[in-house]
Amino acid sequence: MRIFRPEKKLGCYVLFLLLSLCPTLLLAQQTVTGKVVDAKTKEAIIGAVIKVKDSTQGTVTDVNGQFKIQAGNGGILIISYVGYLSQQVTINGPTANVSLETDAKNLSDVVVIGYGTQKRSDLTGAVASVSTEQLTKTAKSSAIGSMQGIVPGANIIRNNNKPGGGFTVDIRGVHSITGSNAPLVVIDGVPGADLEKINPADIEKIDVLKDASATAIYGSRGANGVFIVTTKRGQTGKPKISYNGYYGVRNYTNKPQMMNVDEFAQLAREAARATNNNVYKPDDQVFTDPSELQAVKTHQGFDWINAVSNPAPQTSHTLSATGGNEEIRYTLSGGYYYEKGMLYPQSYTRYNLRASLDIKATQALSFGGSMYFTNEKRALGNNDLLQDMFRLRPTQFPNSLVTGAPAFQYSSNGLFNALVTSQNVFNDVKSNNLLGNIYVALRPVKGLEIKSTFSPYFTNAATGNYTGVFSKALQGTAAGATASYAKANVGNWVFDNIINYKWSKDIHQLEVTGVYSLQRNQSDNLNAASRDLTFNSLYYNLQGGTMTSFGSSYTQSQLASYLGRVNYTLNSKYLLTASARYDGSSKLAAGHKWVLFPSAALAWRASEEKFLKSISWLDNLKVRLGYGVIGNDSVDPYQSTQLISSPTYYSFGSDVIGNSPGNLPNPNLSWEKTYEVNLGLDFGIFKNRISGSIELYNRLTKDLIMPSAIPITTGYSSLAAANVGSARNKGIEFSLTTVNVQGKDLRWSTTFSAAYNRNKIVDLGFKEDLGKYSPQLAGIMGDYGNKWFIGQPIRSNWNLQTIGIWQLDQATEAAKYGQKPGQFRVRDFDNDGVINQDKDRFLDGKRTPDWTGGVYTNLQYKSFDLSAQGYFQTGARDRNQFYVSYQLENNNGALNNQVKDYWTPENPSNSMGQPSNMGIYRDVNQSSNGNLISVSHVVQKTDFFKVQYINLGYHFPTSLTSKLKISNLRVYGTVQNPFTFSSWKGFDPEQANVSIASTDLITRNFLFGIDVTF
C-alpha cells in the first residue's frame, strides 16, 4: 500500500492565503430576541442558526426555539436550519419571530429527462444529477472526469494520463461483448456530441438516465445510459459578469521505484551469471561499454526520468456574461484551458466560445438558439518516450563518461538517447467543433406547446505525425524524415418536432408528449503519408518527399423516430410514466430496420399518505418500479450490404485491375435489445438531514451484435456483425447524504455512493460443452475459440496458475517439465506431468469491478469552505503490463528494472524468478474478444481508493465586496490527486493493461484560483 502526502510547501501557501483573507466588520448593536418555529406545525425549531448579515454576529435557538442576539436596528437577520428554506428578516425593534417553511428543494429540483423536464419529486425512473459546483470544484479539464465517484452505477475510468486524455464510462456494467458500452451524450438536445470538448464551467448540470424506463425515450441510442447536459443560459435580471480562473503546477506522483546504479549493476551481474552455469563474470565482460563500466566503478548513476521530465503548468480561465428581462435573455462566454505535459512536447490547449439567446416575442411565441464552438489541440509527442525513460539503464549517460562524446544509440542494448528522440517525434491531434441549435416554440392555447428544434453538429479534425531521422523508428540512418496527415469532416444534424400538453384539475395532473425526430450522420476522411523528407516541415509538406500511401472514405447513416410519452399524477402521491419509441435505422438490414421500444414506470410517494404524515421524522419516502426495452444499432454503416474490396492487380499477359466482394453481407442484421426492471426507493428523514436512494436492477441484453463464425466454405471465416447471444447485468446502487454538523458557524455534510454489479453471459449463437477442453470447465457451455463462457462474466481471465518458483531441492521435479530452479512454476491440475495450455488453465476472476463508488465531503466554517472527493473500485483482476515490462520482461539485464526481491541460489525467493532464467511461464499474453489468456502472477488486483481533490476556499464578506461593486468573491486552493491507496505494483491501477507507450504517470497538481461575479 502506498500513501502519498502533498508537499510541505502547500501548507505555507495555504497559511499565507488564510492570514491575508480575514476581514471583520463591527456593527452597532442592540439586543434582539425572538422564536423560530415550523411554519406548518408551529413546533419550535431547536438549533436554528441566526446570523446578522454582513457581520460575524451569530447564535442558535435553544430547546424552546428562542434566541437572543446583538444586532443593529434596520439590520438583517439570516435564519437557517437543515431541511428548511433560509429566511431574511429586517430588524425593526427588539423582537423578531420567524416561521420557516420546509425546504423541498431536493424534491422540486427540475430534472431533464429527454424532450422535457420533471420535478424530482415526480420522477419514476432512476435518474442522478450532477451540479455545476460538483463539476468545477475538481478543476479538471473534462466534465466526465469530474463525475468520478459521484454517480452511483457509473464506472468512470481514465484511460490516458497524457494532457487532454479521455475516459471510459460503463453504466450498470458491461452489456456488449465486442461492441461499445459508452453512454449516449446529449448536449442541449444534440445527441452524440462529445462531452470532453465542453468547458465544465459552461455546464449548468448533468442528468444521468440509468434505467430502461428513463432511457427508453431515446430508444436505440439509450441502451448504455444517457448523459443529458444542460449548458448555462441567460437569466432574467441585471447583467452579471463572472470570471473563474486558476493557475497551478503539475508534478509526477506515485512514480515506480526503479533501480539505482548499484542495484542495476548487481542485477546485470546476476543475469550474466544465470547464463554462465551460475558463475559470476568479471564486470568488464558484463558491461562492455567503457562508459557504463566507468559508471559502475565510480557508482555514478543517471536518473533518466528526472532528466527528461519537467514540472508543468496547468491553467484555466472562463469569462461569462448573462442577463435579460422578461422578453429577452442572453449569455456569452469564452474559455481557455492549457495543460502542459511533463514530457516535451506534450500539451493540451482548448478554446471555447458560447452564446445563447432566448426571445419571448409574445405570450404565445418564443424563439431562440445557442452556439458552442471549441478549438483544441493535443500534442502527444513521442509515444516511446516514457517507455524509454524507464528502460534506459542508470549506467547509461547522455554523454560518454570516458570520451565526453554525445550518445545517440547505446551499443549494450540498442536503446536511444531519450533527450534526443524527444525532440524528433511529433504527434498532433487538432479539431474545430461547432455545436448549435435553433428553436421556435408556439403556445396557441393554455397548456399546449409546439416546438421545433434544429441542431447541427460539425467537427473538422486533423491528425499529423512527423518522425525525424534521429528517432527510435528511423535510428539516424534514414535518408529523410517520415510524415503522415489525415483529415476528417463530420457533419451531423438532428431535427426534433415536439408537441407537449399539460393539464391539471383537482387531484389530477397529466402531461402528454409526442415527438417526430430525424437524424443524419455523415463523415468523410482523407489521409496521406510520405518518407524521405529532407527538412523539418512537420506534416505540412508531404509532397516534399516520396508518397507512400493515400486514401479516402465516406459514410452516412440516418435515424428516424416517432415517440410518445404520458406522465400522470394522482393526488401528488401516485405517479405513472409510459412511453413508446419507434426507431428506424439505415444501418440495419431491410425488414429489420424498424423496432418499437416501450417502457412504463410507477411511483408511490408514501410519505404523502395520512398514516405516515404523523411520523414527524419522516420527510420523504417514495417507491418506484419501472420496466423498459431499449436498443442498440452500434455497428458500422453498410454491414448489411455488399461491399467492394480495394483494387487488386491481376496479370493475364498484361496487368488488369479488378475488384472482389469485400464482405459477406448479413441480410438479417437487426437490433440489439435490452430488457430491464428497476426497483427504487427514495427517502429523507430528520428534516432531510439524512437522505438518499437505493436502486435494484436486472438487465438482460438479447441479440448481441458481434462477429459470428461461419463455415469457411462460404469464402469467408465470419460475419462482421450478427445478432448472437445474450448477457445479463444485475446490481444494486445506493447513495446517502448526511448533514453531520449544523451549528452557528459550522456546517459539515457528506455524500457517499456505491454500486455493486454482476454480469454474465447467458447465451451464445454457437455453444458447446467446454468440459472436453478442461476439467475446470466441466458443466460449462460456451464458445471456447472465443473464450466466451456461459454463466461467467464477459471479461473473464483464463489463466495458468502460478504456484511459486522452482527451488534448488526441486530440480528433479522441475526437469520433468523441462524447467530449472529459479523459473516460474505453474500448476499441473491433472498431474499428468505436462502443462497443457487448455487443460491446466482456470477461471482467474474478471476485469470488471464488483464495487465502485465515491465519497464527497464539505465543511463550512464562517467564510471558509473545505471540500474533498474520492472514488474507489474493488473486485477486478487485470494484467499488469508495467509489472510485466519492468519486473519480468527486462530481467535479462539489458534494461533497467523496478526494485524487487528476485531469486538467486543464495536468495530462494518464491515470488520472483531468476534474472535471465524466468522460464517459459515468465509471461503469457493472449487475448480473445475481450477475454484475457495469461498466467496468474501477472494478473493482479486493481482495487484502489483515490482522493481526487482537496479544495480550500474563502468567501469575502458582502460588506467588503459591495464597496467594490462585486456580488461574489471567492479565492481557493486545490490539490488534485493528493493520495492513492492501492497494492497495485505499478503507477496507476486505473490503467492496468494500458501500454506505457500510450499514457503517462499520474501527476499531483497544486492550483490557486479566484471566482468573482460583478
Side-chain angles (χ1 to χ4, degrees):
M1 178 176 291
R2 303 176 178 87
I3 301 177
F4 303 98
R5 304 181 184 279
E7 283 80 348
K8 293 181 179 179
K9 62 182 181 181
L10 175 63
C12 299
Y13 294 152
V14 175
L15 180 61
F16 174 80
L17 179 68
L18 300 184
L19 291 176
S20 63
L21 303 176
C22 299
T24 59
L25 182 66
L26 298 177
L27 297 175
Q29 299 179 353
Q30 67 172 332
T31 300
V32 178
T33 61
K35 185 175 183 179
V36 181
V37 299
D38 185 297
K40 187 175 181 180
T41 65
K42 304 305 180 184
E43 295 178 355
I45 297 177
I46 304 169
V49 178
I50 293 90
K51 288 185 177 182
V52 179
K53 189 175 183 179
D54 299 334
S55 168
T56 58
Q57 295 289 330
T59 187
V60 295
T61 56
D62 59 21
V63 294
N64 298 313
Q66 297 177 338
F67 67 90
K68 181 185 295 185
I69 194 170
Q70 298 296 312
N73 199 35
I76 297 175
L77 292 180
I78 302 175
I79 302 92
S80 61
Y81 188 70
V82 178
Y84 290 86
L85 294 170
S86 296
Q87 191 174 142
Q88 295 188 15
V89 176
T90 303
I91 301 171
N92 186 19
T95 304
N97 293 318
V98 181
S99 298
L100 293 184
E101 298 283 349
T102 300
D103 182 4
K105 180 181 179 181
N106 289 334
L107 301 179
S108 61
D109 279 346
V110 174
V111 177
V112 182
I113 56 172
Y115 306 104
T117 60
Q118 268 188 315
K119 292 192 301 182
R120 183 166 294 278
S121 59
D122 293 339
L123 286 177
T124 56
V127 181
S129 298
V130 183
S131 67
T132 183
E133 179 183 12
Q134 292 171 303
L135 294 173
T136 55
K137 269 196 173 181
T138 64
K140 287 197 172 184
S141 64
S142 168
I144 295 180
S146 299
M147 292 192 290
Q148 287 184 293
I150 293 180
V151 180
N155 184 27
I156 301 174
I157 296 296
R158 181 154 192 171
N159 55 35
N160 192 315
N161 282 331
K162 290 184 178 181
F167 294 83
T168 300
V169 183
D170 296 330
I171 294 181
R172 293 190 164 181
V174 178
H175 320 116
S176 181
I177 294 180
T178 60
S180 172
N181 290 282
L184 172 70
V185 175
V186 181
I187 301 177
D188 289 337
V190 182
D194 190 347
L195 182 52
E196 295 191 38
K197 300 185 185 301
I198 305 297
N199 182 355
D202 289 331
I203 297 174
E204 183 66 35
K205 68 183 303 188
I206 298 177
D207 295 298
V208 183
L209 313 185
K210 296 187 290 184
D211 76 316
S213 71
T215 63
I217 197 70
Y218 285 102
S220 62
R221 294 167 296 181
N224 299 325
V226 183
F227 286 169
I228 302 182
V229 182
T230 303
T231 60
K232 296 176 179 177
R233 299 188 81 93
Q235 302 295 326
T236 300
K238 66 177 184 179
K240 290 184 178 181
I241 297 177
S242 300
Y243 167 79
N244 180 284
Y246 60 80
Y247 179 86
V249 178
R250 309 167 65 239
N251 280 284
Y252 281 146
T253 185
N254 204 23
K255 285 194 298 186
Q257 184 181 359
M258 305 302 288
M259 290 182 171
N260 61 32
V261 61
D262 294 327
E263 292 166 333
F264 173 75
Q266 187 58 34
L267 174 75
R269 294 182 185 111
E270 294 292 347
R273 174 194 185 189
T275 60
N276 192 41
N277 295 319
N278 278 325
V279 177
Y280 286 112
K281 292 182 178 181
D283 276 358
D284 59 357
Q285 294 183 24
V286 177
F287 303 98
T288 57
D289 185 322
S291 177
E292 286 195 71
L293 182 60
Q294 179 68 13
V296 172
K297 289 180 178 179
T298 59
H299 305 283
Q300 295 182 68
F302 191 78
D303 190 332
W304 283 98
I305 297 176
N306 285 341
V308 178
S309 63
N310 290 286
Q314 177 180 339
T315 188
S316 176
H317 306 275
T318 302
L319 182 66
S320 64
T322 63
N325 52 38
E326 293 297 328
E327 287 76 33
I328 299 177
R329 291 175 290 126
Y330 63 87
T331 180
L332 297 169
S333 75
Y336 167 74
Y337 179 87
Y338 176 72
E339 180 182 343
K340 186 177 181 180
M342 295 287 292
L343 305 177
Y344 177 83
Q346 294 178 12
S347 66
Y348 175 65
T349 307
R350 183 182 66 211
Y351 297 91
N352 297 102
L353 289 174
R354 179 174 61 95
S356 71
L357 183 66
D358 298 287
I359 302 172
K360 187 177 181 181
T362 68
Q363 290 296 322
L365 181 64
S366 297
F367 177 79
S370 65
M371 178 278 296
Y372 201 103
F373 174 77
T374 302
N375 169 272
E376 62 178 359
K377 177 181 178 180
R378 287 190 72 200
L380 301 175
N382 182 354
N383 287 332
D384 292 324
L385 186 58
L386 187 66
Q387 175 179 266
D388 289 345
M389 286 164 49
F390 282 106
R391 285 181 170 181
L392 282 162
R393 301 173 173 184
T395 54
Q396 294 173 325
F397 281 71
N399 296 79
S400 171
L401 295 181
V402 177
T403 66
F408 174 57
Q409 185 174 14
Y410 298 95
S411 60
S412 57
N413 56 12
L415 292 183
F416 296 86
N417 186 337
L419 292 172
V420 176
T421 59
S422 65
Q423 309 292 318
N424 282 274
V425 179
F426 299 88
N427 285 288
D428 300 329
V429 180
K430 300 174 287 186
S431 69
N432 293 305
N433 305 273
L434 180 63
L435 175 69
N437 68 55
I438 187 170
Y439 73 87
V440 59
L442 180 66
R443 292 172 293 276
V445 296
K446 181 181 178 181
L448 178 64
E449 181 181 75
I450 303 171
K451 183 177 182 180
S452 290
T453 304
F454 182 74
S455 305
Y457 177 47
F458 301 105
T459 296
N460 174 265
T463 302
N465 166 266
Y466 174 85
T467 303
V469 173
F470 289 96
S471 61
K472 181 177 178 179
L474 301 184
Q475 303 185 8
T477 60
T482 64
S484 63
Y485 196 54
K487 301 202 72 173
N489 297 299
V490 176
N492 302 337
W493 55 257
V494 180
F495 184 38
D496 289 331
N497 299 275
I498 308 169
I499 182 169
N500 183 268
Y501 180 68
K502 294 181 180 179
W503 172 85
S504 63
K505 184 177 181 181
D506 300 328
I507 61 174
H508 305 280
Q509 290 180 308
L510 179 67
E511 181 176 359
V512 180
T513 302
V515 179
Y516 172 58
S517 178
L518 293 172
Q519 178 176 345
R520 190 189 73 172
N521 299 326
Q522 177 179 297
S523 66
D524 61 79
N525 299 270
L526 181 67
N527 62 82
S530 182
R531 61 176 172 82
D532 298 336
L533 296 167
T534 55
F535 62 93
N536 186 352
S537 53
L538 293 179
Y539 32 78
Y540 296 116
N541 185 35
L542 299 184
Q543 68 275 13
T546 302
M547 298 293 291
T548 56
S549 69
F550 58 90
S552 61
S553 64
Y554 173 85
T555 62
Q556 185 183 112
S557 63
Q558 294 86 29
L559 183 74
S561 306
Y562 303 88
L563 69 92
R565 178 175 60 202
V566 175
N567 294 314
Y568 173 68
T569 302
L570 176 64
N571 204 23
S572 299
K573 292 186 290 188
Y574 312 107
L575 305 110
L576 167 68
T577 298
S579 70
R581 179 167 180 138
Y582 192 49
D583 275 350
S585 172
S586 67
K587 294 191 289 186
L588 302 177
H592 301 276
K593 295 181 183 294
W594 289 90
V595 70
L596 180 69
F597 298 107
S599 75
L602 300 169
W604 173 38
R605 295 187 63 192
S607 53
E608 296 300 309
E609 299 287 357
K610 290 183 179 180
F611 63 87
L612 292 178
K613 284 283 191 180
S614 59
I615 303 178
S616 59
W617 51 266
L618 180 63
D619 304 299
N620 177 42
L621 181 64
K622 183 169 71 173
V623 182
R624 295 175 281 106
L625 177 64
Y627 171 80
V629 181
I630 44 184
N632 194 339
D633 66 341
S634 59
V635 293
D636 294 332
Y638 318 123
Q639 293 299 314
S640 62
T641 58
Q642 181 72 69
L643 302 180
I644 300 299
S645 71
S646 299
T648 302
Y649 290 87
Y650 300 91
S651 181
F652 298 100
S654 61
D655 289 340
V656 178
I657 299 176
N659 297 87
S660 62
N663 71 317
L664 185 64
N666 183 356
N668 298 310
L669 184 61
S670 185
W671 296 88
E672 184 176 288
K673 303 180 190 69
T674 297
Y675 305 79
E676 183 175 14
V677 177
N678 189 91
L679 177 64
L681 176 71
D682 303 322
F683 62 90
I685 58 177
F686 305 124
K687 303 301 180 185
N688 283 315
R689 193 159 177 169
I690 300 176
S691 61
S693 65
I694 302 173
E695 308 282 351
L696 294 168
Y697 64 88
N698 188 336
R699 170 179 289 198
L700 176 64
T701 302
K702 294 184 176 181
D703 298 325
L704 290 168
I705 297 177
M706 56 186 181
S708 177
I710 57 177
I712 195 68
T713 53
T714 62
Y716 300 88
S717 60
S718 68
L719 289 172
N723 299 101
V724 290
S726 59
R728 186 182 298 277
N729 280 268
K730 292 182 179 180
I732 182 172
E733 304 163 353
F734 67 88
S735 64
L736 181 68
T737 298
T738 61
V739 179
N740 310 309
V741 176
Q742 177 70 53
K744 170 185 172 183
D745 298 314
L746 179 66
R747 187 180 191 272
W748 175 32
S749 62
T750 302
T751 297
F752 176 77
S753 64
Y756 173 82
N757 174 267
R758 180 183 179 187
N759 80 68
K760 65 179 181 180
I761 297 174
V762 176
D763 196 12
L764 292 168
F766 168 78
K767 54 191 174 184
E768 58 182 333
D769 185 352
L770 303 183
K772 62 184 179 183
Y773 295 102
S774 171
Q776 287 67 254
L777 298 178
I780 297 178
M781 301 291 289
D783 180 346
Y784 192 75
N786 288 306
K787 303 303 181 291
W788 293 330
F789 312 113
I790 293 176
Q792 299 298 318
I794 291 176
R795 296 174 183 170
S796 294
N797 300 320
W798 179 235
N799 297 332
L800 297 170
Q801 184 177 11
T802 308
I803 55 175
I805 306 297
W806 288 108
Q807 302 299 325
L808 290 172
D809 59 357
Q810 299 170 323
T812 302
E813 186 180 358
K816 296 178 181 178
Y817 294 92
Q819 294 190 262
K820 299 184 296 184
Q823 297 181 348
F824 280 100
R825 180 184 182 185
V826 299
R827 183 181 298 279
D828 180 3
F829 275 93
D830 57 3
N831 295 311
D832 63 354
V834 178
I835 301 300
N836 184 284
Q837 291 294 321
D838 294 318
K839 292 193 298 180
D840 291 317
R841 291 188 179 275
F842 76 115
L843 288 168
D844 188 16
K846 56 188 175 53
R847 301 202 310 284
T848 53
D850 292 327
W851 287 94
T852 60
V855 61
Y856 169 79
T857 187
N858 185 63
L859 182 70
Q860 295 174 315
Y861 178 70
K862 294 186 177 180
S863 296
F864 295 95
D865 60 90
L866 176 67
S867 60
Q869 182 177 313
Y871 61 102
F872 68 88
Q873 75 168 36
T874 65
R877 284 173 53 81
D878 207 339
R879 175 181 170 85
N880 188 336
Q881 185 59 50
F882 192 88
Y883 169 82
V884 172
S885 297
Y886 300 99
Q887 290 204 29
L888 300 179
E889 184 177 66
N890 306 331
N891 271 350
N892 56 9
L895 311 175
N896 199 12
N897 273 228
Q898 278 185 280
V899 174
K900 61 193 167 296
D901 179 28
Y902 50 81
W903 191 95
T904 68
E906 299 77 25
N907 181 45
S909 169
N910 204 39
S911 60
M912 177 58 63
Q914 182 181 23
S916 286
N917 183 37
M918 296 283 180
I920 60 175
Y921 303 115
R922 171 190 61 85
D923 177 37
V924 178
N925 182 23
Q926 301 175 43
S927 180
S928 179
N929 287 304
N931 293 305
L932 183 65
I933 306 171
S934 190
V935 58
S936 65
H937 67 269
V938 307
V939 178
Q940 300 169 4
K941 290 183 178 180
T942 61
D943 299 356
F944 68 83
F945 178 81
K946 288 186 176 184
V947 179
Q948 185 166 210
Y949 75 90
I950 301 174
N951 178 283
L952 176 64
Y954 177 80
H955 282 272
F956 284 82
T958 307
S959 59
L960 178 63
T961 58
S962 60
K963 297 177 182 179
L964 302 174
K965 307 299 182 183
I966 295 174
S967 60
N968 177 67
L969 177 60
R970 179 179 179 266
V971 292
Y972 58 90
T974 299
V975 56
Q976 295 175 328
N977 306 319
F979 310 106
T980 297
F981 304 89
S982 179
S983 61
W984 180 255
K985 297 177 182 179
F987 62 91
D988 190 354
E990 276 194 84
Q991 298 178 49
N993 197 18
V994 175
S995 170
I996 195 171
S998 56
T999 187
D1000 199 358
L1001 304 185
I1002 307 173
T1003 61
R1004 181 184 293 137
N1005 314 326
F1006 296 95
L1007 312 170
F1008 295 91
I1010 183 172
D1011 191 351
V1012 58
T1013 302
F1014 297 91

